[in-house]
Structures are given as structure tokens and as C-alpha cells.
Amino acid sequence: MRIRAAVLEEFGTPLAVQDVELAEPKAGEALVRLVACGVCHADLYTASGADPSGYAPAVLGHEGAGVVERVGEGVSSVAPGDHVVTLFSPQCRECAHCRDERTNLCLAIREQQNQGFLPDGTTRFARNGEPIRHFMGTSTFAEYTVMPEIALAKISPEAPLDRACLFACGLSTGLGAAMNTAQVRPGSTCVVFGAGMVGLGAVAGCRLQGAERIVCVDLSEERLGLARGQGATETIVGGPDSVERILELTDGFGADYTFEATGNVAVMRQAVEAARMGWGLATVCGVAGKGETLDVVPRYLITGRRVAGSSFGGVKGRDGVPRLVDRWLAGEIDVDPFVSHTLTLDEVNRGFELMEAQDGIRSVITFS
Ligand SMILES: NC(=O)c1ccc[n+]([C@@H]2O[C@H](COP(=O)([O-])OP(=O)(O)OC[C@H]3O[C@@H](n4cnc5c(N)ncnc54)[C@H](O)[C@@H]3O)[C@@H](O)[C@H]2O)c1
Ligand SMILES: [Zn+2]
Ligand SMILES: [Zn+2]
């Protein structure tokens, strides 16, 4: 079929929205009609050429939600008409990692996915017979996409898809960092650095876990206001003195749990230093630039602080995303404030501009 998609032709140039060919789903795959898709940092990181593992041409986009239209041979977990959230982090339920509760990093299709292919090593996108590669196994800046069934989370049909798409990346990442990676205990003191999509999700996750105090640190007063709306009990305008300020607020000890959601390695260090001696856990969610390293004085670790990294919030997508969506539908998570702009696919590059200008939390592309 012919569909419209936003193609990365060349690094550092705007995406080109155009007609491409999409082949039918093969065994284990499904054809998904996208209804909505958020614009996230990883899309821009690749489009800009900053990501050393990027490739082109490719159809970008990974924060998608839509409806299954057709399925390939042997597909049993989704059927036409199902509402789904796309998973850049799949869940095969069979590999060593999927069978272990300690991680969500499924091993099943990593190599092919990282190179822009579906699990059989080919693409479903093409233009004049030339293949166009997939991105993060999702390619959701498109009217339709083909994805492996293990990378689709079937969600409640009640969930409005123009907000459900945020669970495909940023929101689940933040919620999961608090709920799965850190497993925040009730009554705890938490600090969240960054009040973008990921940090605000972490604030909400700490609240759902029953944290008593949630301190949010950001540079923007407007975003700190949103953090209060998600359950932050205190807010701080961030800077070089963030750690000092947090120690003052916590009788000199620091927080039980800290979360970094900025992508800035200096802030990651602050997250470690603001964690409490004895048991403080710093969870790193941000993606640092190429070659950057995290600088930690080992004494912080000897005295009982720990550092954890969190990819997609440790959420095993097919099991975990539908549960998070249900909690939203039950009124436990307020998702509406995260959708700042609604765009058409043709305006996808505007979504990148808004993100660079830090204008709003998320721009969401909707497909008519
Ligand atoms: N681990 C994952 O699976 C995963 C998934 C999605 C995004 N990410 C990464 O998470 C990070 C956050 O994503 P986002 O969409 O929320 O980004 P965002 O740009 O919307 O938010 C980042 C926030 O950090 C704040 N900030 C910057 N410097 C600060 C400082 N010194 N102190 C306090 N706050 C500061 C900014 O004001 C901004 O509000 C990015 O690095 C992104 O690439 C990781
Ligand atoms: Zn993302
Ligand atoms: Zn697996």
C-alpha cells in the first residue's frame, strides 16, 4: 500500500514527508494504523546526526498509538481492531531477560532492530523498490507501520489514543523509573531532577508509590508548576547549588530516592550526591551525549549510595503498559497537561522546533 511517512533523508536536514510503499505484515508482524504519535528526543537526536548509531533513509517516530488493521501468519496476541501502544522496547516473554523479573531489556530482536530492520532482516518500507529502514522497531511518523507483535502493547479500547501514545516512551519511562527501577517505598523522600515528560512521569510515579515528600528540580518555573500538579510537594529552581538546597531540606542527609531526567551528566552527578548515605538510590533516566561520562566520587558509593540506570522505566511493555494505561483511566494519572501542541504529520519538523525551544512538554501528531 502507499502511505505518507516522514523520512529522514540526510542527517541535519528536516524530515521529508512523502508517499512511500508499505508491504503487508509477514509472519509474527502486524499492520498498525497510527492514530497519534508524540515527538520525543530520540527522534531529534537521530535526525540531527548526533547519534553515532543512526542511519538514513529511515522512517522515524517511536511514541505511537493506533489500531491493528491486519496481522501476519501465526500472530496470536493482537487482532484487527485492537488498540495498541508501540514498544521500542519489546517483550518476547521467552528470552533470558524476559523470563527474569530484574530487567525489561528483551534480547529477541535487538540486533536487527538496531540496524533498522524487522526481525527477518528486511524492511517493509520502500520507495521505487529501494528499501527505507525502520527506526527503533517502530517508525510511527507514518500513517501506517508494520511491527513485530512482540512490540505491541494491547491497551483498553477506552483509552483516547492521542494521549495513550505518551505511554510509548516518555511517560512510561518516568512512571516506571519510580515504580519498577527504584520501587519507591511508601513514606519516602524523593527528588526528581528535570520536569519534562520523563521527570513529570517520575513525580507521578513517586506519588503513586506513596512517597511522602517529592521535591522537583527544574530550570523552568512553568514546568515546576506542572510538577506540583503531578504531586510534587516542594520545588526548587535548579543550578550549581541544587545538592546543597536538597541537603538543607533533608536535615543534611539527602533523599531516599533521586531521579535524573535531564540528560545532563552534571545533573546526574547531583542526583548521586543528593541521595542519602546508607541507602539512597539515584536512578538515571536521561540519555547523555556521545562520549560523556558520569563523574562520581567513590566515597559516595562506599557510604551506601547506589546508582541505577533505567531504560523505558524498566517496564516490560506488553504486560506493564496496559496496566499503566488502566491506572490513567482509573483517574490516578493526569495525562492531559502533557499534551502541549497537536500537529499534523506534515508539521513534524515544527515538533522538533518546539522541542528545541522547550515549548511545551510534548507535541503530539494526530492522523486523520
Ligand atoms: N531512559 C529512557 O528510556 C528514556 C526515554 C525517553 C527519554 N529519555 C531521556 O530522558 C531525558 C529527559 O527527557 P524529556 O523528554 O523529559 O526531556 P525535556 O527536555 O522535556 O526535559 C528535561 C528537563 O530538564 C531540565 N533541566 C535542564 N538542566 C537542568 C538542571 N541543571 N537542573 C534541573 N533541571 C534541568 C529542563 O529544564 C527540562 O525541563 C532526555 O535525556 C531523554 O533523551 C530516556
Ligand atoms: Zn522516546
Ligand atoms: Zn525477550
Side-chain angles (χ1 to χ4, degrees), residues 9-33:
E9 301 280 6
E10 211 176 306
F11 298 121
T13 64
L15 303 186
V17 181
Q18 59 191 273
D19 282 4
V20 301
E21 289 129 36
L22 181 65
E24 289 296 311
K26 291 192 186 176
E29 300 170 359
L31 172 71
V32 177
R33 173 173 60 83

Side-chain angles (χ1 to χ4, degrees), residues 67-347:
V67 181
V68 174
E69 291 280 312
R70 284 195 284 281
V71 297
E73 206 188 303
V75 169
S76 59
S77 63
V78 290
D82 284 350
H83 287 205
V84 289
V85 162
T86 63
L87 301 171
F88 68 86
S89 183
Q91 182 190 1
C92 77
R93 298 189 169 130
E94 286 167 10
C95 73
H97 284 186
C98 279
R99 284 188 277 107
D100 197 302
E101 62 183 20
R102 290 173 295 187
T103 182
N104 64 331
L105 298 175
C106 175
L107 301 168
I109 60 174
R110 279 180 97 74
E111 273 170 43
Q112 295 294 0
Q113 178 173 322
N114 288 344
Q115 292 170 45
F117 300 115
L118 289 185
D120 75 345
T122 64
T123 75
R124 301 293 159 272
F125 293 105
R127 179 174 51 196
N128 307 321
E130 288 294 316
I132 300 178
R133 281 196 266 178
H134 298 244
F135 173 70
M136 292 176 78
T138 50
S139 291
T140 49
F141 288 162
E143 292 172 322
Y144 292 81
T145 191
V146 170
M147 291 180 53
E149 71 171 315
I150 63 167
L152 292 171
K154 179 177 164 179
I155 61 163
S156 165
E158 313 273 297
L161 294 168
D162 59 352
R163 275 153 285 160
C165 63
L166 302 182
F167 288 87
C169 183
L171 181 51
S172 294
T173 297
L175 288 165
M179 299 167 79
N180 303 322
T181 308
Q183 299 183 8
V184 167
R185 295 190 192 186
S188 313
T189 296
C190 301
V191 176
V192 177
F193 292 88
M197 183 71 273
V198 175
L200 292 169
V203 168
C206 291
R207 172 178 51 78
L208 291 173
Q209 291 292 109
E212 188 179 312
R213 295 177 70 190
I214 305 169
V215 183
C216 188
V217 189
D218 199 282
L219 305 178
S220 147
E221 283 288 0
E222 194 187 335
R223 288 183 172 212
L224 290 174
L226 290 171
R228 286 190 287 275
Q230 296 298 325
T233 55
E234 291 139 274
T235 54
I236 296 177
V237 175
D241 65 343
S242 293
V243 174
E244 222 176 294
R245 305 270 308 275
I246 291 158
L247 293 179
E248 275 164 23
L249 287 174
T250 53
D251 296 330
F253 278 109
D256 299 311
Y257 302 92
T258 64
F259 297 88
E260 178 281 330
T262 68
N264 178 328
V265 292
V267 178
M268 293 177 191
R269 177 176 179 158
Q270 291 181 331
V272 176
E273 296 184 356
R276 189 196 162 99
M277 74 178 280
W279 60 70
L281 175 64
T283 300
V284 173
C285 303
V287 176
K290 184 188 171 193
E292 289 184 320
T293 58
L294 168 57
D295 204 6
V296 175
V297 177
R299 181 177 51 82
Y300 282 96
L301 305 179
I302 300 270
T303 47
R305 294 166 192 83
R306 292 171 301 141
V307 186
S310 185
S311 171
F312 194 47
V315 178
K316 288 180 186 284
R318 285 204 283 171
D319 295 337
V321 166
R323 278 191 228 125
L324 292 174
V325 168
D326 285 346
R327 294 191 79 164
W328 162 40
L329 295 177
E332 293 184 77
I333 307 168
D334 185 12
V335 177
D336 290 358
F338 303 140
V339 179
S340 320
H341 303 279
T342 303
L343 307 173
T344 64
L345 181 61
D346 286 291
E347 295 169 320

Side-chain angles (χ1 to χ4, degrees), residues 40 42 62-63 169:
C40 173
H62 66 284
E63 215 172 66
C169 183

